[in-house]
Amino acid sequence: MQKYINFKVQMFKKGSKLFSITKGKCPRCHEGNFFKYGFTFNPTKITKLHDNCSECNLKYMIEPSFFYGAMYVNYGITVAISVFVFVLTKLAFDFELLQSFLAVIAALIVLAPVNLRLSRILWINMFVSYEGSEKAEN
């Protein structure tokens, strides 16, 4: 049990991709905030990013239209949510087909802000590695 807890702590420790993703931090230094606003349902603020990291000055828009690739990540997350909710409602709650589809649509609408933010931070974490605060400044 102790090994499991240590492993879990290591997974979310600063320097891991999961730390950057779950905390919404810069993928290179894990200090600066990635998003301008905290979690919100305001559609104009959901995906607003800082231009650069406030700590290591990493430019978040690595190239023009960089975050178009996040649409593929978003699609994958959307499919996973849809399949999960559909199977859950059919098997666990014995919903009819129409009820299951309505539950999927409701889940996708409610989770849209999470999905949009998650897809962007996952996408940039695929391309930028952690360097620590000492190395990032060079």
Side-chain angles (χ1 to χ4, degrees):
M1 184 67 177
Q2 184 63 30
K3 286 183 181 181
Y4 173 74
I5 293 171
N6 287 340
F7 177 72
K8 197 170 181 180
V9 169
Q10 291 292 334
M11 285 179 51
F12 290 96
K13 192 174 156 186
K14 187 174 179 182
S16 70
K17 295 284 184 189
L18 286 177
F19 179 86
S20 171
I21 293 165
T22 57
K23 302 288 185 186
K25 297 294 184 179
C26 169
R28 184 164 71 180
C29 70
H30 291 188
E31 295 290 331
N33 288 327
F34 184 69
F35 295 102
K36 282 187 179 180
Y37 305 100
F39 182 76
T40 179
F41 280 98
N42 184 336
T44 61
K45 295 180 179 180
I46 291 172
T47 58
K48 294 288 184 194
L49 311 173
H50 292 286
D51 293 328
N52 296 38
C53 175
S54 60
E55 301 296 320
C56 70
N57 206 30
L58 171 69
K59 185 177 178 183
Y60 291 142
M61 187 65 75
I62 296 172
E63 58 187 36
S65 304
F66 174 71
F67 287 105
Y68 280 160
M71 289 188 302
Y72 295 106
V73 176
N74 189 317
Y75 175 74
I77 295 169
T78 300
V79 168
I81 291 170
S82 299
V83 168
F84 176 77
V85 171
F86 183 80
V87 169
L88 179 72
T89 57
K90 285 299 284 178
L91 296 179
F93 299 109
D94 198 30
F95 280 12
E96 297 293 323
L97 187 62
L98 181 60
Q99 292 172 320
S100 293
F101 280 124
L102 292 175
V104 167
I105 291 169
L108 292 177
I109 290 171
V110 169
L111 294 174
V114 175
N115 194 356
L116 290 169
R117 291 170 70 96
L118 183 61
S119 62
R120 284 189 173 215
I121 197 139
L122 281 169
W123 184 251
I124 197 165
N125 269 281
M126 288 183 205
F127 296 97
V128 179
S129 297
Y130 176 72
E131 294 180 7
S133 56
E134 303 85 33
K135 293 180 185 176
E137 293 173 0
N138 296 332

